[in-house]
Amino acid sequence: MPDLSQPKVIRSTADHSKFEILKKKFRKSRDITKACLSCHNVSAKQIHKTKHWNWEFTHTKTGQKLGARNIINTFFGGTASNEASCSHCHIGSGWKGNKFDYKREENVDCLICHDTTGKYAFKKFHTARGNCGVCHEEIPESPGKKKHKTDLNEVALNVGPTSRRTCGSCHFLGGGGINVKHGDLDSSLTRPSYDLDVHMDADGLNFTCTSCHSTDQHAVRGSRYENEINDIGGRTIPGKAAARRSSCASCHGERPMKNDKLNDHTDKVACQTCHIPSIARGGHATKMRWDWSTSGKLDANGKPFLKKDKKGNVIYSTQKGDSVWAENVVPDYIWSDRTAKYTLLGDKIDPSKTVAINTFMGSADKSLSRISPVKKSRGKQPYDAGNNRLVAVNLFALHRFAKDKSAYWRNLDWPRAIAKGMKAAGKEFSGKVGFVETEMLWPVTHMVAPADKALGCDECHSKNGRLENINGIYIPSRDTKPVLEWLGLGMFLISLFGVMIHTMMRILTRNRRNNGGVKP
């Protein structure tokens, strides 16, 4: 975490600690939002149009309605019936149970993104509204008894630009704990070293998240729903109408390296493939597999329990089942043209096969496709065995709503918890529960290593190298094609024969000159 003992550096054109309207006594964050809106009078209207607010995104190519409201994942399944706990990471305030007024301007929570003290997110995440298991692998025995007090007036007087810490307060904890979900996003990026990320290096370039995820009227570019492998618009330069910096090429261009041979790779290989050799290398493991089918076991005393590995990672818990963690993970590689299709709640599945939660489009013959790194999150999760569909599960036992006994983490009863989740999602449920293998892909784009630690040629140009499963492209030293091999050998032999003939001719003519047969 940043050293808060250091004097605050004000880079904004306004020092909010001088504003009289922010000096009054605040009891609720919404009261601070009202004060913010008295000057920033269109901010809430802008926020209301974003996927950060609506948790919805309609993909322009696939037409699928995505976003946290609609997708299923390999971690907590989905948000249906779990909104109150999931709202920890929503940029709004004022949730009551699973209900929320999306149209009310003062419900925008300005502080979750603009607090510079680092105290507000801690307060918001430790309210009685949620469940400790949302973020904590190891759940306290007495959740909710400890009170977390934060001085809202101090927070109000110290608002400012977003930072790695404010963005990370949600995104570093995705999936229920540090680095559970992404693998390339964890709290080590709050103050990263040069080796961990050359752009975010706290003592160097010190990029914040918005240095690349550029914003326009509070809409943030770049997400897994509209992942930008390359930038078809070219470099972002002053005066350019479309201010986009959400790909490497936006700043570095398509041929950024001094070596032209390396530049020849950029039309097929994403920058991240070579420059992010591994993920989860900041000291926090990432969860690679989550098996819900083994959850629900109790110890000899009939109590929930958990197990940890030698590094303290929870590898089994009654609430979550078995987990597999790993550090310094080598990514998987796929073709991607930045378009992904998702398996949604209403889609039929084949439970005899691994279900792909999302599939990235792309192939070697598509000009926008690049070989790209991903984290493959695997798991085993419940499905409707009668209708062969994935399901939403009412998972969280809310402390405030303790009478809700249908939550899985309260009763360990899958049919009951799924019935409520599917009802909340407006979907049919047969009552039959099975477990199916699933796989979800997460684009890798953070933790960019220094150039001297990028992949060497032999990492890919070799048998059993990193790109052994990439098809549709000939990779020298990995592939053997008899025609090419014989053609190459033939050209070599022809060249060798030509050199030998030429050499012999030179020798013969020299001898003739030496013998006086030919005048120079």
Side-chain angles (χ1 to χ4, degrees):
M1 301 292 281
D3 183 0
L4 298 178
S5 64
Q6 297 298 315
K8 184 173 67 172
V9 178
I10 300 173
R11 295 186 174 87
S12 171
T13 54
D15 181 355
H16 287 79
S17 67
K18 306 297 183 184
F19 285 84
E20 291 298 323
I21 196 170
L22 295 177
K23 293 181 179 178
K24 65 181 183 180
K25 190 70 174 178
F26 294 107
R27 297 185 61 187
K28 298 179 179 178
S29 61
R30 279 184 291 184
D31 296 332
I32 299 177
T33 295
K34 289 179 182 178
C36 298
L37 294 176
S38 66
C39 292
H40 304 277
N41 52 18
V42 296
S43 294
K45 294 182 175 64
Q46 293 174 350
I47 289 286
H48 283 181
K49 297 177 182 177
T50 68
K51 56 180 175 291
H52 255 134
W53 177 260
N54 293 305
W55 281 359
E56 282 195 331
F57 174 78
T58 301
H59 201 286
T60 53
K61 290 185 177 179
T62 66
Q64 283 191 307
K65 187 171 285 187
L66 306 174
R69 285 197 199 190
N70 302 299
I71 69 165
I72 293 292
N73 61 49
T74 52
F75 303 102
F76 292 143
T79 59
S81 78
N82 299 309
E83 290 88 346
S85 276
C86 297
S87 67
H88 277 117
C89 284
H90 189 259
I91 55 174
S93 53
W95 285 79
K96 291 183 178 179
N98 293 335
K99 297 180 180 179
F100 182 72
D101 185 353
Y102 283 90
K103 297 181 179 179
R104 193 174 177 183
E105 291 192 14
E106 54 264 39
N107 278 356
V108 172
D109 189 352
C110 304
L111 301 179
I112 196 66
C113 297
H114 292 287
D115 166 40
T116 65
T117 68
K119 299 178 181 178
Y120 179 72
F122 186 82
K123 169 186 169 59
K124 181 171 183 176
F125 293 170
H126 291 86
T127 62
R129 188 176 63 223
N131 187 293
C132 305
V134 175
C135 300
H136 296 281
E137 285 288 329
E138 187 174 2
I139 303 172
E141 293 182 356
S142 302
K145 288 185 177 180
K146 185 177 180 180
K147 294 183 179 180
H148 301 276
K149 293 184 178 180
T150 297
D151 185 347
L152 286 178
N153 290 79
E154 178 191 5
V155 174
L157 292 171
N158 287 279
V159 294
T162 60
S163 65
R164 293 191 298 271
R165 181 172 57 185
T166 53
C167 299
S169 64
C170 288
H171 293 283
F172 292 163
L173 300 172
I178 297 174
N179 211 15
V180 167
K181 183 189 286 184
H182 295 277
D184 64 339
L185 277 177
D186 66 44
S187 55
S188 65
L189 292 174
T190 304
R191 189 175 177 80
S193 65
Y194 180 71
D195 283 348
L196 184 58
D197 191 291
V198 296
H199 299 107
M200 290 190 269
D201 171 23
D203 297 321
L205 293 174
N206 200 24
F207 277 19
T208 65
C209 302
T210 53
S211 298
C212 294
H213 294 274
S214 52
T215 62
D216 182 14
Q217 300 179 65
H218 282 94
V220 183
R221 292 193 64 86
S223 76
R224 66 180 183 275
Y225 302 130
E226 50 181 356
N227 185 30
E228 298 197 17
I229 300 299
N230 53 11
D231 195 335
I232 57 176
R235 287 187 183 184
T236 298
I237 57 176
K240 191 173 181 179
R244 43 195 295 162
R245 289 192 305 274
S246 47
S247 76
C248 305
S250 300
C251 295
H252 295 284
E254 292 287 352
R255 299 181 68 83
M257 293 165 282
K258 296 179 180 178
N259 186 317
D260 279 341
K261 192 59 184 175
L262 292 178
N263 284 328
D264 289 342
H265 288 66
T266 60
D267 63 340
K268 294 295 182 185
V269 182
C271 304
Q272 294 92 328
T273 297
C274 297
H275 290 276
I276 306 178
S278 62
I279 57 175
R281 61 176 199 273
H284 298 287
T286 187
K287 187 174 284 193
M288 301 300 295
R289 179 174 172 79
W290 191 327
D291 186 351
W292 283 100
S293 70
T294 60
S295 65
K297 298 176 184 175
L298 302 175
D299 66 13
N301 298 316
K303 300 290 185 182
F305 68 100
L306 56 82
K307 294 180 181 177
K308 296 181 181 180
D309 62 18
K310 293 180 180 178
K311 293 188 174 182
N313 301 307
V314 175
I315 56 175
Y316 179 81
S317 78
T318 297
Q319 287 83 359
K320 298 181 178 181
D322 284 297
S323 299
V324 176
W325 299 80
E327 292 185 59
N328 299 309
V329 177
V330 173
D332 286 274
Y333 299 93
I334 61 168
W335 283 107
S336 173
D337 69 355
R338 67 182 176 171
T339 303
K341 286 187 176 179
Y342 282 74
T343 301
L344 302 175
L345 273 181
D347 296 336
K348 283 281 187 181
I349 64 170
D350 180 355
S352 67
K353 300 178 180 178
T354 297
V355 175
I357 299 294
N358 60 345
T359 304
F360 279 84
M361 304 294 101
S363 60
D365 59 350
K366 300 290 178 61
S367 63
L368 293 180
S369 296
R370 299 289 186 276
I371 299 170
S372 307
V374 293
K375 172 193 169 183
K376 282 188 178 178
S377 172
R378 296 180 173 90
K380 201 170 187 178
Q381 61 191 88
Y383 77 102
D384 183 338
N387 293 316
N388 284 346
R389 293 189 175 97
L390 295 175
V391 294
V393 182
N394 180 35
L395 193 60
F396 303 108
L398 304 180
H399 178 66
R400 181 178 292 178
F401 305 101
K403 293 181 180 179
D404 180 7
K405 296 182 179 179
S406 64
Y408 181 73
W409 281 358
R410 179 162 296 280
N411 58 28
L412 302 178
D413 184 340
W414 282 114
R416 194 173 178 183
I418 293 173
K420 182 165 184 178
M422 293 297 277
K423 182 179 180 180
K427 302 294 182 183
E428 179 188 355
F429 173 50
S430 71
K432 299 178 181 178
V433 180
F435 289 89
V436 61
E437 290 285 341
T438 56
E439 181 179 281
M440 191 170 189
L441 306 180
W442 294 91
V444 168
T445 197
H446 307 97
M447 297 188 177
V448 179
D452 62 353
K453 295 185 178 178
L455 296 188
C457 302
D458 59 347
E459 294 272 4
C460 302
H461 292 278
S462 60
K463 302 288 185 184
N464 303 316
R466 292 190 180 222
L467 302 186
E468 64 173 327
N469 296 320
I470 292 293
N471 53 30
I473 188 172
Y474 179 79
I475 300 178
S477 297
R478 184 199 71 167
D479 300 321
T480 55
K481 289 187 176 181
V483 173
L484 288 178
E485 298 294 329
W486 282 109
L487 182 62
L489 180 60
M491 294 179 67
F492 171 76
L493 292 176
I494 291 172
S495 300
L496 180 62
F497 182 73
V499 170
M500 292 175 65
I501 294 297
H502 179 76
T503 303
M504 291 177 62
M505 293 297 292
R506 293 292 299 265
I507 293 173
L508 289 174
T509 55
R510 185 185 65 182
N511 290 340
R512 291 179 63 185
R513 287 198 302 269
N514 292 340
N515 295 331
V518 178
K519 293 182 180 180

